[in-house]
Amino acid sequence: MVAAGRQVPITARRQRIVLAVLLLNPGQTQPVSRLAAAVWGAEQPKNPENQIAVCVHGIRRGLAADGLAGLLATEPGGYTALVPAAATDLGRVVHLSAEAARLEHCGHPEVALIRYRDALAEWHGPLLQGLDIPHLTPETRWWEEKRVHVAEQAARLAVAVGDHQEAIGELSALAAAHPLRENLHALLMTALYHSGRRADALFAYRAAQDALRTGAGIDPSPQLRHLHHTILTDSRSPHFATVLPRAPKRAAAPC
């Protein structure tokens, strides 16, 4: 855990797991049963309440050196991290990506792109790195999907505003890591094509085709095939941009 730019010395595995659960849900009381499930799974000790209390005491002792002992509150049946969501890196991801979506909706794609990239900068490695917590697998998967979504939206806007060179680097890594996401392949092909790298765009399609057939046993969608045909025939048209994946529709936000 990093607080105020300093590494907080919480090294005991059980303490780190308890603290992780609490910080993933800032301001929300986490019952002892959930904390115990994260620490021990199905094989819990006879008195998990006492064991969790010991963990919380150890965490508070580790936080005390930085004046953060009051970070954890004891509640009836559980504990709460008294931290505003905006004070956590994940909370800032949510805030910045929502702000980016609002700015795009209001017609400011360049600023929206900056906000999406600010959100991506809040990731400092895999979530819960070094901790194997099966009980939290759904949450870690959700946050990983959130990270990829933010990266995809940033790349989509980079292509839309003409920042193709930057987008190519981002999309190459994303498409390699998530080969079954057609939107990423479509964006990469489009960025390459608009950068004057038509042959590379066609190669990217073949790579996408191979990945989809090998990984899922399916052929590219009609939309991706249409994009490939457009690039193959070098037939840009006023409607070329319509093949770009668009942001999901949202409720209108005030501008």
Side-chain angles (χ1 to χ4, degrees), residues 208-219:
Q209 186 179 52
D210 290 344
L212 290 166
R213 287 176 175 173
T214 302
I218 59 174
D219 287 319

Side-chain angles (χ1 to χ4, degrees), residues 84-173:
T88 69
D89 47 8
L90 296 182
R92 289 190 292 273
V93 167
V94 172
H95 171 75
L96 288 166
S97 56
E99 177 67 4
R102 186 190 69 80
L103 286 164
E104 183 182 5
H105 167 77
C106 294
H108 306 291
E110 291 87 356
V111 186
L113 173 58
I114 293 171
R115 290 293 179 273
Y116 274 127
R117 286 178 172 163
D118 288 343
L120 288 172
E122 293 294 337
W123 259 282
H124 306 289
L127 188 64
L128 306 181
Q129 188 171 18
L131 289 176
D132 180 18
I133 314 175
H135 186 73
L136 294 184
T137 296
E139 286 185 73
T140 55
R141 286 178 177 170
W142 188 91
W143 280 109
E144 174 59 16
E145 179 63 25
K146 178 71 174 178
R147 184 191 69 79
V148 176
H149 171 76
V150 172
E152 182 177 330
Q153 295 308 309
R156 177 183 58 80
L157 277 181
V159 173
V161 303
D163 191 3
H164 299 125
Q165 292 302 322
E166 187 75 18
I168 288 169
E170 296 169 350
L171 287 163
S172 296

Side-chain angles (χ1 to χ4, degrees), residues 179-191:
L180 301 184
R181 297 178 77 112
E182 284 201 352
N183 277 2
L184 298 176
H185 295 297
L187 286 166
L188 177 58
M189 291 164 61
T190 303

Side-chain angles (χ1 to χ4, degrees), residues 1 9-22 35-43 45 51-52 54-56 58-59 128-137:
M1 172 184 171
I10 306 296
T11 58
R13 181 178 180 276
R14 291 178 184 177
Q15 293 177 18
R16 292 178 65 200
I17 292 174
V18 169
L19 185 58
V21 175
L22 295 173
L35 297 172
V39 174
W40 292 287
E43 299 181 1
Q51 296 288 341
I52 294 298
V54 170
C55 288
V56 171
I59 295 169
L128 306 181
Q129 188 171 18
L131 289 176
D132 180 18
I133 314 175
H135 186 73
L136 294 184
T137 296

